[in-house]
Amino acid sequence: MDVAHCYLDGNADAVEFCPHNSYHHVLAASTYTLKEGDQPSRCGSISLFNVDAELSSLDLVYCVETSGIFDIKWNPPGVHANYFLGQADADGYLRIQKLEGCCSDAKGASLKEVTSEKISNSMCLYLDWNPSATLITVGLSDGSVSIVSLSESGLEIQENWKAHDFELWTTSFDTHQPNLVYTGSDDCKFSGWDLRDSPSRMVFQNSKVHKMGVCCIAKSPHDPHSLLTGSYDESLRVWDLRSISRPINETSLCLGGGVWRVKHHPFISDLVLAACMHNGFAITSIKGGEAQVLETYKKHDSLAYGADWQRGEASHSGGKKKPLVATCSFYDKHVRLWMPKSEFVL
């Protein structure tokens, strides 16, 4: 069921609901637009919206122009007094924005840049926070990964190494074992690294399963042994991590388009949202080593890139729930709010 939509000035590539209590109504969206010509430039923006599903409203309350942005992520809830939004920029910078001026509604919401760091001359493609919000892992277009610390004094690069041969599209901390970082790349390799060693030691590298580039990696917040990868080869894969040196690909599910992003539902354990590039968005169920598509959403007119679940209370009916979803697509420049047709048992 469609709830609301909004047109952005740039190519929309990421949407992120604020995960912090009292701020679940805040939605951030980022853009990346390549301006071609004699002196090509990459520009972007971050927009904040006030979301109210009951009123079918998606109100733009703040927008700031930036360098072209490939990824944004809020810091994890419950560990920090400040609410930070990290952004991975095409100019090689990692920037941290602080959410200010809103609580019960987002009308006065704004972002203030509190620190930034030049990570590389290459483009920053992806970022992820560790559970304590003290470290950020950043994937770079030259195949490198950087581990960056955040403290009161700002950002500081702790380590940087060449992890892959081509673009490193995704990198993720293991939420249950934060000393482990996963990376995936256009070289079709999926790797794990142990940060306790210096330099970080490769724990494993799988180069045989993915037939095309690895676009996304998501550790399950509900199962310490389960991890998902998405690939340009159109498959969502479920991995068993109990033998960390040799992860086992339990099952694969073809989604009919490159799997650019996957998001576990924050509290419905088997529910996963996937952005499938040329084939819209899919809600899947992953349970007991089996995966299936529950429903699809194809109201966008171009590449399905950004997707997220709202963390707060959603519609209830007889102990079942219809979560609220935000999605965006690149060339149609739209952010859309919608609810699945199905109801899900909590």
PDB file of all heavy atoms in Angstrom, residues 323-344:
ATOM      1  N   PRO A 323       4.765  -3.362   8.591  1.00  0.00           N
ATOM      2  CA  PRO A 323       5.858  -2.404   8.775  1.00  0.00           C
ATOM      3  C   PRO A 323       5.798  -1.299   7.722  1.00  0.00           C
ATOM      4  O   PRO A 323       5.222  -1.458   6.652  1.00  0.00           O
ATOM      5  CB  PRO A 323       7.116  -3.261   8.589  1.00  0.00           C
ATOM      6  CG  PRO A 323       6.662  -4.684   8.598  1.00  0.00           C
ATOM      7  CD  PRO A 323       5.243  -4.673   8.144  1.00  0.00           C
ATOM      8  N   LEU A 324       6.432  -0.173   8.042  1.00  0.00           N
ATOM      9  CA  LEU A 324       6.560   0.919   7.092  1.00  0.00           C
ATOM     10  C   LEU A 324       7.930   0.832   6.428  1.00  0.00           C
ATOM     11  O   LEU A 324       8.943   0.627   7.091  1.00  0.00           O
ATOM     12  CB  LEU A 324       6.407   2.263   7.794  1.00  0.00           C
ATOM     13  CG  LEU A 324       6.440   3.502   6.895  1.00  0.00           C
ATOM     14  CD1 LEU A 324       5.251   3.517   5.946  1.00  0.00           C
ATOM     15  CD2 LEU A 324       6.460   4.776   7.748  1.00  0.00           C
ATOM     16  N   VAL A 325       7.930   0.982   5.102  1.00  0.00           N
ATOM     17  CA  VAL A 325       9.153   0.853   4.300  1.00  0.00           C
ATOM     18  C   VAL A 325       9.399   2.164   3.554  1.00  0.00           C
ATOM     19  O   VAL A 325       8.461   2.797   3.054  1.00  0.00           O
ATOM     20  CB  VAL A 325       9.018  -0.308   3.283  1.00  0.00           C
ATOM     21  CG1 VAL A 325      10.242  -0.385   2.381  1.00  0.00           C
ATOM     22  CG2 VAL A 325       8.815  -1.630   4.017  1.00  0.00           C
ATOM     23  N   ALA A 326      10.651   2.560   3.482  1.00  0.00           N
ATOM     24  CA  ALA A 326      11.066   3.677   2.622  1.00  0.00           C
ATOM     25  C   ALA A 326      11.993   3.132   1.545  1.00  0.00           C
ATOM     26  O   ALA A 326      12.876   2.320   1.830  1.00  0.00           O
ATOM     27  CB  ALA A 326      11.783   4.756   3.418  1.00  0.00           C
ATOM     28  N   THR A 327      11.773   3.554   0.296  1.00  0.00           N
ATOM     29  CA  THR A 327      12.634   3.135  -0.806  1.00  0.00           C
ATOM     30  C   THR A 327      12.933   4.336  -1.697  1.00  0.00           C
ATOM     31  O   THR A 327      12.202   5.332  -1.696  1.00  0.00           O
ATOM     32  CB  THR A 327      11.975   2.026  -1.660  1.00  0.00           C
ATOM     33  OG1 THR A 327      10.661   2.451  -2.063  1.00  0.00           O
ATOM     34  CG2 THR A 327      11.860   0.724  -0.876  1.00  0.00           C
ATOM     35  N   CYS A 328      14.024   4.240  -2.452  1.00  0.00           N
ATOM     36  CA  CYS A 328      14.337   5.286  -3.425  1.00  0.00           C
ATOM     37  C   CYS A 328      14.965   4.643  -4.652  1.00  0.00           C
ATOM     38  O   CYS A 328      15.532   3.551  -4.582  1.00  0.00           O
ATOM     39  CB  CYS A 328      15.270   6.345  -2.835  1.00  0.00           C
ATOM     40  SG  CYS A 328      16.963   5.793  -2.519  1.00  0.00           S
ATOM     41  N   SER A 329      14.835   5.321  -5.770  1.00  0.00           N
ATOM     42  CA  SER A 329      15.455   4.834  -7.002  1.00  0.00           C
ATOM     43  C   SER A 329      16.184   5.974  -7.689  1.00  0.00           C
ATOM     44  O   SER A 329      15.858   7.154  -7.512  1.00  0.00           O
ATOM     45  CB  SER A 329      14.427   4.194  -7.932  1.00  0.00           C
ATOM     46  OG  SER A 329      13.409   5.090  -8.260  1.00  0.00           O
ATOM     47  N   PHE A 330      17.156   5.609  -8.488  1.00  0.00           N
ATOM     48  CA  PHE A 330      18.188   6.529  -8.922  1.00  0.00           C
ATOM     49  C   PHE A 330      17.697   7.565  -9.929  1.00  0.00           C
ATOM     50  O   PHE A 330      17.693   8.763  -9.670  1.00  0.00           O
ATOM     51  CB  PHE A 330      19.350   5.721  -9.491  1.00  0.00           C
ATOM     52  CG  PHE A 330      20.647   6.470  -9.561  1.00  0.00           C
ATOM     53  CD1 PHE A 330      21.303   6.868  -8.406  1.00  0.00           C
ATOM     54  CD2 PHE A 330      21.232   6.773 -10.772  1.00  0.00           C
ATOM     55  CE1 PHE A 330      22.509   7.551  -8.451  1.00  0.00           C
ATOM     56  CE2 PHE A 330      22.440   7.445 -10.844  1.00  0.00           C
ATOM     57  CZ  PHE A 330      23.083   7.840  -9.681  1.00  0.00           C
ATOM     58  N   TYR A 331      17.268   7.110 -11.078  1.00  0.00           N
ATOM     59  CA  TYR A 331      16.987   8.054 -12.157  1.00  0.00           C
ATOM     60  C   TYR A 331      15.608   8.696 -12.048  1.00  0.00           C
ATOM     61  O   TYR A 331      15.400   9.794 -12.582  1.00  0.00           O
ATOM     62  CB  TYR A 331      17.152   7.368 -13.514  1.00  0.00           C
ATOM     63  CG  TYR A 331      18.581   6.966 -13.799  1.00  0.00           C
ATOM     64  CD1 TYR A 331      18.945   5.627 -13.898  1.00  0.00           C
ATOM     65  CD2 TYR A 331      19.591   7.920 -13.937  1.00  0.00           C
ATOM     66  CE1 TYR A 331      20.257   5.243 -14.134  1.00  0.00           C
ATOM     67  CE2 TYR A 331      20.901   7.554 -14.173  1.00  0.00           C
ATOM     68  CZ  TYR A 331      21.236   6.214 -14.276  1.00  0.00           C
ATOM     69  OH  TYR A 331      22.535   5.847 -14.502  1.00  0.00           O
ATOM     70  N   ASP A 332      14.653   8.061 -11.377  1.00  0.00           N
ATOM     71  CA  ASP A 332      13.353   8.733 -11.236  1.00  0.00           C
ATOM     72  C   ASP A 332      13.344   9.712 -10.059  1.00  0.00           C
ATOM     73  O   ASP A 332      12.376  10.443  -9.864  1.00  0.00           O
ATOM     74  CB  ASP A 332      12.204   7.727 -11.154  1.00  0.00           C
ATOM     75  CG  ASP A 332      12.093   7.020  -9.811  1.00  0.00           C
ATOM     76  OD1 ASP A 332      12.897   7.288  -8.906  1.00  0.00           O
ATOM     77  OD2 ASP A 332      11.179   6.171  -9.674  1.00  0.00           O
ATOM     78  N   LYS A 333      14.449   9.701  -9.250  1.00  0.00           N
ATOM     79  CA  LYS A 333      14.677  10.704  -8.202  1.00  0.00           C
ATOM     80  C   LYS A 333      13.563  10.732  -7.157  1.00  0.00           C
ATOM     81  O   LYS A 333      13.311  11.765  -6.532  1.00  0.00           O
ATOM     82  CB  LYS A 333      14.843  12.098  -8.829  1.00  0.00           C
ATOM     83  CG  LYS A 333      15.959  12.185  -9.850  1.00  0.00           C
ATOM     84  CD  LYS A 333      16.093  13.580 -10.428  1.00  0.00           C
ATOM     85  CE  LYS A 333      17.215  13.653 -11.473  1.00  0.00           C
ATOM     86  NZ  LYS A 333      17.372  15.009 -12.035  1.00  0.00           N
ATOM     87  N   HIS A 334      12.942   9.586  -6.918  1.00  0.00           N
ATOM     88  CA  HIS A 334      11.825   9.524  -5.985  1.00  0.00           C
ATOM     89  C   HIS A 334      12.169   8.776  -4.702  1.00  0.00           C
ATOM     90  O   HIS A 334      12.883   7.769  -4.733  1.00  0.00           O
ATOM     91  CB  HIS A 334      10.621   8.832  -6.638  1.00  0.00           C
ATOM     92  CG  HIS A 334       9.672   9.772  -7.293  1.00  0.00           C
ATOM     93  ND1 HIS A 334       9.885  10.280  -8.552  1.00  0.00           N
ATOM     94  CD2 HIS A 334       8.500  10.322  -6.864  1.00  0.00           C
ATOM     95  CE1 HIS A 334       8.878  11.092  -8.880  1.00  0.00           C
ATOM     96  NE2 HIS A 334       8.037  11.128  -7.865  1.00  0.00           N
ATOM     97  N   VAL A 335      11.632   9.284  -3.596  1.00  0.00           N
ATOM     98  CA  VAL A 335      11.560   8.550  -2.333  1.00  0.00           C
ATOM     99  C   VAL A 335      10.101   8.168  -2.132  1.00  0.00           C
ATOM    100  O   VAL A 335       9.209   9.018  -2.284  1.00  0.00           O
ATOM    101  CB  VAL A 335      12.040   9.409  -1.149  1.00  0.00           C
ATOM    102  CG1 VAL A 335      11.813   8.685   0.173  1.00  0.00           C
ATOM    103  CG2 VAL A 335      13.507   9.772  -1.315  1.00  0.00           C
ATOM    104  N   ARG A 336       9.877   6.904  -1.808  1.00  0.00           N
ATOM    105  CA  ARG A 336       8.506   6.427  -1.605  1.00  0.00           C
ATOM    106  C   ARG A 336       8.367   5.749  -0.255  1.00  0.00           C
ATOM    107  O   ARG A 336       9.260   5.009   0.173  1.00  0.00           O
ATOM    108  CB  ARG A 336       8.087   5.454  -2.712  1.00  0.00           C
ATOM    109  CG  ARG A 336       7.935   6.101  -4.089  1.00  0.00           C
ATOM    110  CD  ARG A 336       7.412   5.112  -5.131  1.00  0.00           C
ATOM    111  NE  ARG A 336       7.228   5.745  -6.426  1.00  0.00           N
ATOM    112  CZ  ARG A 336       6.122   6.377  -6.808  1.00  0.00           C
ATOM    113  NH1 ARG A 336       5.092   6.431  -5.973  1.00  0.00           N
ATOM    114  NH2 ARG A 336       6.031   6.925  -7.995  1.00  0.00           N
ATOM    115  N   LEU A 337       7.238   6.001   0.406  1.00  0.00           N
ATOM    116  CA  LEU A 337       6.855   5.278   1.615  1.00  0.00           C
ATOM    117  C   LEU A 337       5.734   4.316   1.263  1.00  0.00           C
ATOM    118  O   LEU A 337       4.791   4.687   0.548  1.00  0.00           O
ATOM    119  CB  LEU A 337       6.342   6.239   2.692  1.00  0.00           C
ATOM    120  CG  LEU A 337       7.315   7.231   3.337  1.00  0.00           C
ATOM    121  CD1 LEU A 337       6.566   8.069   4.369  1.00  0.00           C
ATOM    122  CD2 LEU A 337       8.480   6.511   3.984  1.00  0.00           C
ATOM    123  N   TRP A 338       5.822   3.086   1.761  1.00  0.00           N
ATOM    124  CA  TRP A 338       4.777   2.105   1.489  1.00  0.00           C
ATOM    125  C   TRP A 338       4.736   1.048   2.585  1.00  0.00           C
ATOM    126  O   TRP A 338       5.680   0.907   3.367  1.00  0.00           O
ATOM    127  CB  TRP A 338       4.962   1.453   0.115  1.00  0.00           C
ATOM    128  CG  TRP A 338       6.323   0.900  -0.184  1.00  0.00           C
ATOM    129  CD1 TRP A 338       7.428   1.582  -0.599  1.00  0.00           C
ATOM    130  CD2 TRP A 338       6.729  -0.480  -0.093  1.00  0.00           C
ATOM    131  NE1 TRP A 338       8.490   0.727  -0.787  1.00  0.00           N
ATOM    132  CE2 TRP A 338       8.097  -0.536  -0.487  1.00  0.00           C
ATOM    133  CE3 TRP A 338       6.082  -1.662   0.251  1.00  0.00           C
ATOM    134  CZ2 TRP A 338       8.812  -1.735  -0.530  1.00  0.00           C
ATOM    135  CZ3 TRP A 338       6.792  -2.865   0.214  1.00  0.00           C
ATOM    136  CH2 TRP A 338       8.136  -2.893  -0.167  1.00  0.00           C
ATOM    137  N   MET A 339       3.628   0.360   2.637  1.00  0.00           N
ATOM    138  CA  MET A 339       3.455  -0.767   3.548  1.00  0.00           C
ATOM    139  C   MET A 339       3.231  -2.030   2.738  1.00  0.00           C
ATOM    140  O   MET A 339       2.539  -2.002   1.716  1.00  0.00           O
ATOM    141  CB  MET A 339       2.267  -0.540   4.493  1.00  0.00           C
ATOM    142  CG  MET A 339       2.515   0.522   5.539  1.00  0.00           C
ATOM    143  SD  MET A 339       1.115   0.657   6.678  1.00  0.00           S
ATOM    144  CE  MET A 339       1.711   1.928   7.803  1.00  0.00           C
ATOM    145  N   PRO A 340       3.799  -3.155   3.175  1.00  0.00           N
ATOM    146  CA  PRO A 340       3.561  -4.409   2.465  1.00  0.00           C
ATOM    147  C   PRO A 340       2.075  -4.774   2.480  1.00  0.00           C
ATOM    148  O   PRO A 340       1.312  -4.356   3.367  1.00  0.00           O
ATOM    149  CB  PRO A 340       4.378  -5.420   3.291  1.00  0.00           C
ATOM    150  CG  PRO A 340       5.352  -4.601   4.079  1.00  0.00           C
ATOM    151  CD  PRO A 340       4.687  -3.303   4.335  1.00  0.00           C
ATOM    152  N   LYS A 341       1.691  -5.560   1.505  1.00  0.00           N
ATOM    153  CA  LYS A 341       0.318  -6.063   1.477  1.00  0.00           C
ATOM    154  C   LYS A 341       0.097  -7.076   2.599  1.00  0.00           C
ATOM    155  O   LYS A 341      -0.994  -7.190   3.148  1.00  0.00           O
ATOM    156  CB  LYS A 341       0.042  -6.734   0.117  1.00  0.00           C
ATOM    157  CG  LYS A 341       0.163  -5.804  -1.072  1.00  0.00           C
ATOM    158  CD  LYS A 341       0.000  -6.563  -2.373  1.00  0.00           C
ATOM    159  CE  LYS A 341       0.233  -5.662  -3.580  1.00  0.00           C
ATOM    160  NZ  LYS A 341       0.177  -6.420  -4.868  1.00  0.00           N
ATOM    161  N   SER A 342       1.143  -7.813   2.914  1.00  0.00           N
ATOM    162  CA  SER A 342       1.054  -8.866   3.920  1.00  0.00           C
ATOM    163  C   SER A 342       1.154  -8.288   5.328  1.00  0.00           C
ATOM    164  O   SER A 342       1.740  -7.222   5.536  1.00  0.00           O
ATOM    165  CB  SER A 342       2.160  -9.902   3.730  1.00  0.00           C
ATOM    166  OG  SER A 342       2.231 -10.336   2.392  1.00  0.00           O
ATOM    167  N   GLU A 343       0.577  -9.023   6.286  1.00  0.00           N
ATOM    168  CA  GLU A 343       0.786  -8.722   7.689  1.00  0.00           C
ATOM    169  C   GLU A 343       1.730  -9.770   8.259  1.00  0.00           C
ATOM    170  O   GLU A 343       1.726 -10.930   7.833  1.00  0.00           O
ATOM    171  CB  GLU A 343      -0.531  -8.735   8.450  1.00  0.00           C
ATOM    172  CG  GLU A 343      -1.458  -7.584   8.071  1.00  0.00           C
ATOM    173  CD  GLU A 343      -2.745  -7.594   8.875  1.00  0.00           C
ATOM    174  OE1 GLU A 343      -3.201  -8.704   9.226  1.00  0.00           O
ATOM    175  OE2 GLU A 343      -3.281  -6.514   9.141  1.00  0.00           O
ATOM    176  N   PHE A 344       2.566  -9.363   9.209  1.00  0.00           N
ATOM    177  CA  PHE A 344       3.578 -10.248   9.740  1.00  0.00           C
ATOM    178  C   PHE A 344       3.424 -10.383  11.239  1.00  0.00           C
ATOM    179  O   PHE A 344       3.245  -9.397  11.945  1.00  0.00           O
ATOM    180  CB  PHE A 344       4.972  -9.705   9.395  1.00  0.00           C
ATOM    181  CG  PHE A 344       5.177  -9.498   7.926  1.00  0.00           C
ATOM    182  CD1 PHE A 344       5.084  -8.234   7.369  1.00  0.00           C
ATOM    183  CD2 PHE A 344       5.435 -10.564   7.086  1.00  0.00           C
ATOM    184  CE1 PHE A 344       5.263  -8.026   6.023  1.00  0.00           C
ATOM    185  CE2 PHE A 344       5.606 -10.371   5.723  1.00  0.00           C
ATOM    186  CZ  PHE A 344       5.520  -9.107   5.191  1.00  0.00           C
TER     187      PHE A 344
END
